[in-house]
Amino acid sequence: MKRKGSLFIPVILVVLGFSSLGLCAVGHETEQQLLARIQSEPNPVKKAKIEIRLAKLQLAQVQDAYSHGRIEEGAKLVANLMDTVRTSWKLLQGSGRKASKQPDGFRDLEISLREYVRLLQDLGRTVSYLDRAPLENAAQEMEQIRAEVLRALFPGGPPRTLKGSHATKTETSPESPTESR
């Protein structure tokens, strides 16, 4: 009885070890693999999600280039990153889906843009003042796209009142409080 139990534990550990190695390999796609998946994907929402993953990979390349002092290369990579972000947003806009009813993809893009803006701002603080322009411009444009995504997710209009609510609008008069006395 004791022998069966001692053999069982190492087998389980080996199986768990191999399965965790497989999971780690899945998350590390190369740029070429992602580009191939984008080309072959017919669904615009899934394609946009792959573009978002590609942008994350490109952002890591931007961070690497700037941290190693390759400023010109970093600026080119920022331009590629912005093209990918714009493409993702255009794919979602052209998908025919209403973001407020089917937020899949839109929500992913909004969350990613918020993260990317923060990372670009952090990176900008570590770079010379003269070399920050591409990072600041990219962060600003991403913030604008994020605002558009949020407007799509939460379409405007006055807030609805609850049924049975007796809330009324208070009219403001152009007079000051002292003039009405």
Side-chain angles (χ1 to χ4, degrees), residues 3-173:
R3 190 169 184 181
K4 286 183 182 179
S6 63
L7 191 63
F8 182 69
I9 291 175
V11 170
I12 293 295
L13 291 175
V14 169
V15 170
L16 288 175
F18 281 122
S19 65
S20 66
L21 285 175
L23 290 175
C24 291
V26 171
H28 296 288
E29 294 176 305
T30 65
E31 187 171 357
Q32 289 76 24
Q33 289 172 329
L34 290 171
L35 289 170
R37 288 191 59 200
I38 289 167
Q39 293 297 322
S40 65
E41 181 60 55
N43 183 336
V45 175
K46 289 181 181 178
K47 191 179 278 196
K49 286 182 171 186
I50 298 169
E51 291 273 356
I52 292 167
R53 289 204 315 262
L54 177 61
K56 187 171 188 168
L57 181 70
Q58 290 172 334
L59 181 60
Q61 293 171 351
V62 167
Q63 290 174 314
D64 184 56
Y66 273 97
S67 67
H68 288 91
R70 300 186 313 261
I71 305 303
E72 292 83 21
E73 180 186 348
K76 289 177 187 175
L77 290 169
V78 168
N80 291 341
L81 169 66
M82 287 310 303
D83 288 341
T84 304
V85 167
R86 284 186 213 105
T87 301
S88 179
W89 175 225
K90 286 178 184 173
L91 283 168
L92 289 171
Q93 285 177 313
S95 68
R97 295 168 59 122
K98 190 172 181 181
S100 60
K101 301 290 183 189
Q102 296 173 314
D104 194 33
F106 293 91
R107 191 176 44 218
D108 297 330
L109 180 60
E110 189 277 325
I111 292 167
S112 296
L113 286 173
R114 186 173 358 128
E115 178 185 354
Y116 300 164
V117 167
R118 183 183 52 80
L119 290 171
L120 285 174
Q121 289 171 342
D122 289 347
L123 183 60
R125 290 184 195 98
T126 65
V127 174
S128 167
Y129 177 75
L130 300 172
D131 300 325
R132 289 182 190 170
L135 297 171
E136 290 173 347
N137 293 340
Q140 185 178 18
E141 186 177 350
M142 282 186 190
E143 207 41 70
Q144 290 170 350
I145 293 171
R146 181 174 169 259
E148 291 176 28
V149 173
L150 284 171
R151 279 193 295 275
L153 283 167
F154 305 104
R160 293 185 279 176
T161 59
L162 298 174
K163 290 183 179 179
S165 173
H166 298 290
T168 59
K169 286 186 176 181
T170 57
E171 294 185 25
T172 58
S173 69

